[in-house]
Amino acid sequence: MYAFTLDKPASLADAQKAAAGGAKPLAGGQTLLASMKLRLSDPGNLVDLGGVKELAGIRREGNALVIGAMTRHIDVATSAEVAAAIPALTHLAGHIGDKQVRAMGTMGGSVANNDPAACYPSAVLGLGATVHTTKRQIAADEFFQGMFTTALEDGELITAISYPVPKKAAYVKFNQPASRFALIGVFVAQTDSGVRVAVTGAGNGVFRHAGLEAALNASFTPQSAAGVKISADDCSADLHASAAYRANLISVLTQRAVAQLA
């Protein structure tokens, strides 16, 4: 690990100041610290957001569930309010990594990092959530821009994510056994504007599948999802799975999610 300095602000204003000065936000460290240990990352300066209490918490605002960026996975998984409003989000958070990861990892850190196999981005995109930052509000469809890339600007911090409460939603994933990242994860949501299907783990980042959405909007059944041909062209291939295997998993997991909801 390369040498670095660490700032631990107690207020959002101080955290913003540090981030604006070039410090790298530390929001749980489940990805950043691992990359630093391998000397794949050399941020130089870190600003630890763990002490900024105003960035954590869960609350209901009208027909939306607002979750602070520094809310840890375990808090989402065990929240009665989340379970009552969006059970799929409870399930997703409760199956991220292992107990240690869930105890330290945060929602904001996961979304800001945008790992192509992370679970939370599929919920944000699948539910059509809004990402609140220190500068603006960003719609999910505009936020994710590819592998480890988002619409966030330098010095911009996620403060909260607002999830519209869907009519129904389900998240189904096939774990990579060692890391427990999603080899493929599919988030299906029936919303006021129609069915949304978000896929993670397949390739360059989380994405919506237009073909599955169209089929399920026409007929919300597993058979309808099964009738959609999933192309392997945009799926990644590695030692864990071929592109064709991942494409098939997208179909199978979507069918399972729809079956749960039906």
Side-chain angles (χ1 to χ4, degrees), residues 66-122:
V66 181
I67 303 179
M70 286 300 294
T71 305
R72 302 193 185 278
H73 306 326
I74 188 63
D75 296 323
V76 176
T78 58
S79 167
E81 195 156 26
V82 175
I86 314 177
L89 203 53
T90 299
H91 175 78
L92 181 152
H95 290 81
I96 294 175
D98 52 28
K99 289 183 178 180
Q100 290 83 358
V101 169
R102 292 192 291 273
M104 293 300 297
T106 64
M107 176 178 291
S110 174
V111 172
N113 188 57
N114 192 21
D115 188 293
C119 296
Y120 266 125
S122 69

Side-chain angles (χ1 to χ4, degrees), residues 159-183:
T159 57
I161 299 175
S162 176
Y163 295 91
V165 176
K167 297 175 182 176
K168 293 180 180 180
Y171 178 67
V172 181
K173 77 171 176 177
F174 188 94
N175 281 345
Q176 197 285 328
S179 67
R180 299 183 186 174
F181 271 98
L183 192 64

